[in-house]
Amino acid sequence: MENKRWYKDMVFYQIWPRSFKDGNGDGMGDLWGVLEKLDYIKSLGCDGVWFSPIYPSPGADCGYDIADYIDIAPEFGGMEAFKAVLEGVHDRGMKLVMDLVVNHTSDEHEWFQKSRRRIEPYTDYYIWRPAKQNGKMPNNWQSNFEGPAWEWDEVRGEYYLHLFAVKQPDLNMDNPLVREEVKKIMKFWLDMGVDGFREDVITYISKKKGLPDDHLFPIYKGMPHYNHGPHVHEYLEEFKHDVLDHYDCVTLAEAPLVSPKRALEYIDEENGQIDMMIQFQCQCADCLFTDWLPTKFSLRRLKKAFSDWQYKLEGRSWNVLYLENHDHPRIISRYGSEKFRCESGKTLAVSYLFQKGTPFVYQGQEIGMLNWRPSSPDMYEDVHTKNHYANSNTKHTQEERLRKLWRSSRDSARTPVQWDDSENAGFTTGTPWFYVNENYKKINVAAEEKDPDSLLNFYRKAIALRKSLKVVREGTYKEHFHSSSKLYVYSRECAGQKLLVVCSFADKDIKMKCPRGFDLSNGKLILQSHNGSCDDMLKPYESRVYLWE
Ligand code: NOJ
């Protein structure tokens, strides 16, 4: 089927279901809650929804450990609620994208239970290896969640590979039967009417033959042998050819540590196997490869990441634009300023919403939710955070270790959405499954709805503008003043329209800079974070967008 590429006109909203909205009072976000809030999502100007996993799961990795791919977890409302949501989304002219997690399953999945007992045809569904001499593990690979990537299984008497948690065994994608299962899953949801998939760590699905030891990588040991592995393109092509090409759907691949050049091997519009890619470079302006190796925030690094992807994909593919998701702490707490919460939230919004690509907004980002900072390490839920804490250096003080968790844990961004200032932030009438950020009395949707200058209303304005301008969809991108460590300035240009975007990341007044060839005196100021400000000084974290047509 001819790909209509409708996703290029869209803005997606990411729902991390357990913390979005509880509809039945059991303390856990669910699909009934989503149904209540579809109009809210639409009111932002978002017309696509990406759901983090909502399948039955023991919850070892908050749903990314799937026990049944063709059902919806009862705690989220089951299939009945899902169908209601799907209909509600489509009735509003929106699209729905599911998370497809097929690098691994839960160890409670029936396939794994049968595989460990060598029941056919499941025996080779996973990556099993006997122990080496003296019971040693098959190789030196490390899990992405820390610790060894192998777990001994008493039942089978062999090790299995898990690139994530112990309860997330990796599937053996080299087995054609496993690929048939993946295709069945895709078909099942597409036939029901879903509009596409976000494919979890899909660049990991093919491991190098012989699973050799890794002597190269200091962190994520083993990664060179499974990221972009030998058959990954072949398998993705098979999924595309046998299933995806027969539906009008979109695919976005999550790809840790991918460069634009490598990405094009997957997403080139001429011959790629996937439509778009979620890259991590834009998440590394304040860390080295991972949030767990923090560094000082560098605007130059952020700009380089943005511009690299804009320039290198130009004319060949399409960007995913994002700043937040469920895997990273809140962006204002990282790249902005909590003191200038609203202002820096606005400049961050402008910094990415006017680039070329399809933007994603993560729940709570639009109201400027901040990092959660619990008083004790015991309050964390996330498996990666717990592993990290257990392995972390006990020579550091308790306080230092806790601060590191605040700064780096995914749980910092997983607290319930703050809907209003009532008990539990209006998230649930029951006991919330997770802690609500104490700042909810001040930071919540209801309060921001009432304030015309709120971040929430600014997101609405910015998204509406983005959608109304041809130059934002089609124009070429150019960065200006790239050596500035406080200003991010870029322009977009297409026949008949020119756009200039200026974002200050300074916490004091700084001088506005205008690139050559742009005459501000005849440009129209179409969006600004600070009402009435128009002189050549920018207030802290001020942003402006000018248009010529
Ligand atoms: C990436 C997902 O976004 C993350 O939340 C998850 O823990 C891992 N993949 C494993 O599925």
Side-chain angles (χ1 to χ4, degrees):
M1 174 180 290
E2 208 238 324
N3 192 337
K4 296 203 193 68
R5 306 207 187 272
W6 37 259
Y7 56 83
K8 293 188 175 180
D9 294 313
M10 297 181 60
V11 178
F12 276 87
Y13 190 82
Q14 184 197 346
I15 294 185
W16 196 73
R18 62 191 63 209
S19 283
F20 183 66
K21 174 78 177 104
D22 178 16
N24 69 353
D26 68 354
M28 170 87 99
D30 55 37
L31 290 163
W32 300 119
V34 172
L35 208 52
E36 274 174 47
K37 296 295 178 187
L38 284 181
D39 286 329
Y40 167 76
I41 296 172
K42 176 131 181 147
S43 81
L44 301 173
C46 294
D47 35 23
V49 177
W50 151 31
F51 276 100
S52 278
I54 43 182
Y55 315 95
S57 157
D61 183 17
C62 289
Y64 282 88
D65 48 322
I66 297 172
D68 183 354
Y69 288 90
I70 52 171
D71 203 354
I72 299 290
E75 64 270 26
F76 292 138
M79 203 53 106
E80 188 197 341
F82 179 72
K83 288 192 172 153
V85 167
L86 185 59
E87 202 180 303
V89 165
H90 286 161
D91 284 350
R92 288 167 178 79
M94 298 159 73
K95 305 268 190 193
L96 190 154
V97 164
M98 298 285 269
D99 222 306
L100 183 80
V101 188
V102 291
N103 175 68
H104 44 267
T105 70
S106 161
D107 63 346
E108 296 182 31
H109 195 291
E110 189 194 341
W111 301 338
F112 187 79
Q113 290 305 322
K114 292 191 167 153
S115 191
R116 74 193 323 188
R117 295 185 172 82
R118 298 176 199 261
I119 298 174
E120 291 301 346
Y122 302 100
T123 312
D124 292 327
Y125 264 42
Y126 294 84
I127 301 177
W128 296 101
R129 290 291 180 277
K132 293 211 295 201
Q133 245 185 350
N134 303 328
K136 284 216 187 100
M137 296 186 186
N139 65 25
N140 68 352
W141 296 5
Q142 293 283 304
S143 147
N144 284 219
F145 287 167
E146 306 196 10
W150 295 96
E151 182 73 7
W152 179 255
D153 185 54
E154 283 298 341
V155 178
R156 172 134 166 172
E158 284 192 307
Y159 280 105
Y160 65 85
L161 179 72
H162 61 92
L163 293 179
F164 292 91
V166 172
K167 284 181 69 62
Q168 290 169 298
D170 276 52
L171 281 165
N172 173 18
M173 206 56 80
D174 294 334
N175 181 342
L177 295 178
V178 172
R179 301 202 297 280
E180 287 309 315
E181 299 281 9
V182 173
K183 289 186 257 178
K184 258 195 254 164
I185 298 164
M186 287 177 159
K187 277 193 202 136
F188 176 83
W189 292 107
L190 291 169
D191 283 338
M192 191 178 292
V194 313
D195 302 291
F197 301 107
R198 176 266 188 192
E199 303 186 359
D200 191 69
V201 289
I202 202 72
T203 55
Y204 286 11
I205 58 174
S206 166
K207 281 78 175 168
K208 194 180 272 175
K209 198 158 177 243
L211 311 179
D213 275 336
D214 177 15
H215 301 295
L216 275 177
F217 254 43
I219 51 167
Y220 297 130
K221 216 163 232 334
M223 200 185 243
H225 299 312
Y226 60 77
N227 201 10
H228 317 295
H231 301 288
V232 64
H233 296 291
E234 185 186 317
Y235 298 159
L236 293 177
E237 186 56 47
E238 180 179 330
F239 300 151
K240 178 172 182 291
H241 176 268
D242 291 0
V243 183
L244 301 164
D245 276 350
H246 305 278
Y247 296 85
D248 183 18
C249 63
V250 66
T251 47
L252 36 136
E254 187 202 23
L257 303 191
V258 73
S259 66
K261 184 162 174 262
R262 174 81 81 166
L264 283 167
E265 293 170 12
Y266 295 84
I267 58 170
D268 194 310
E269 286 180 10
E270 287 278 301
N271 53 13
Q273 313 96 57
I274 300 261
D275 295 313
M276 296 187 279
M277 191 152 254
I278 304 172
Q279 45 91 4
F280 282 55
Q281 220 178 315
C282 65
Q283 293 299 323
C284 294
D286 66 348
C287 61
L288 292 172
F289 306 117
T290 148
D291 295 300
W292 293 104
L293 294 174
T295 57
K296 197 167 170 275
F297 168 64
S298 154
L299 178 63
R300 279 198 218 148
R301 258 177 24 223
L302 180 64
K303 296 197 299 185
K304 177 154 182 359
F306 280 159
S307 296
D308 255 10
W309 284 82
Q310 289 290 307
Y311 290 137
K312 294 185 180 153
L313 263 50
E314 176 61 37
R316 295 186 63 186
S317 188
W318 198 251
N319 270 290
V320 164
L321 309 173
Y322 80 104
L323 285 173
E324 286 197 15
N325 66 31
H326 64 294
D327 284 334
H328 306 281
R330 292 284 180 185
I331 206 67
I332 293 176
S333 305
R334 297 174 59 193
Y335 294 178
S337 155
E338 295 196 355
K339 182 169 161 217
F340 294 100
R341 186 183 67 85
C342 185
E343 295 85 345
S344 66
K346 288 179 182 176
T347 229
L348 282 160
V350 172
S351 76
Y352 87 111
L353 282 177
F354 292 92
Q355 290 182 32
K356 192 170 194 167
T358 298
F360 283 68
V361 178
Y362 172 60
Q363 63 187 38
Q365 177 187 336
E366 75 279 15
I367 56 164
M369 281 178 65
L370 302 177
N371 276 357
W372 172 62
R373 297 194 177 91
S375 56
S376 155
D378 304 334
M379 293 161 81
Y380 284 88
E381 278 287 330
D382 169 38
V383 55
H384 190 174
T385 307
K386 288 182 180 165
N387 290 352
H388 181 86
Y389 186 73
N391 294 337
S392 70
N393 196 337
T394 43
K395 281 195 208 115
H396 292 139
T397 65
Q398 186 64 10
E399 197 190 322
E400 282 163 346
R401 292 173 77 200
L402 186 60
R403 276 183 184 282
K404 176 85 182 288
L405 300 187
W406 291 351
R407 161 70 183 73
S408 303
S409 169
R410 314 188 280 185
D411 276 348
S412 303
R414 291 181 169 186
T415 53
V417 171
Q418 295 158 207
W419 293 103
D420 57 40
D421 64 2
S422 67
E423 207 182 345
N424 302 322
F427 163 69
T428 179
T429 51
T431 307
W433 77 278
F434 197 36
Y435 301 92
V436 174
N437 196 317
E438 283 167 8
N439 63 22
Y440 75 91
K441 293 253 178 217
K442 186 170 155 235
I443 304 172
N444 61 67
V445 174
E448 297 205 16
E449 288 282 7
K450 281 188 241 141
D451 173 4
D453 284 336
S454 66
L455 183 58
L456 172 64
N457 283 317
F458 189 80
Y459 261 94
R460 288 187 170 125
K461 263 186 246 161
I463 291 174
L465 252 183
R466 173 188 166 93
K467 293 202 154 185
S468 70
L469 294 171
K470 186 165 151 246
V471 68
V472 180
R473 185 190 198 270
E474 288 169 20
T476 51
Y477 166 97
K478 187 167 173 10
E479 189 196 330
H480 306 271
F481 312 116
H482 74 269
S483 59
S484 167
S485 58
K486 294 293 173 209
L487 271 185
Y488 176 37
V489 181
Y490 63 97
S491 58
R492 307 285 315 277
E493 207 162 335
C494 71
Q497 282 186 333
K498 237 163 73 165
L499 197 77
L500 181 71
V501 179
V502 180
C503 305
S504 165
F505 281 75
D507 57 6
K508 41 176 140 1
D509 290 6
I510 54 167
K511 201 153 168 39
M512 160 92 182
K513 274 187 169 179
C514 179
R516 233 180 270 148
F518 292 82
D519 179 1
L520 294 186
S521 67
N522 59 23
K524 200 161 132 202
L525 183 55
I526 54 169
L527 184 69
Q528 61 183 144
S529 56
H530 291 60
N531 283 332
S533 165
C534 62
D535 59 13
D536 63 355
M537 287 308 280
L538 294 168
K539 304 249 164 4
Y541 291 98
E542 180 170 349
S543 52
R544 298 181 192 167
V545 182
Y546 295 88
L547 177 72
W548 289 261
E549 51 186 356

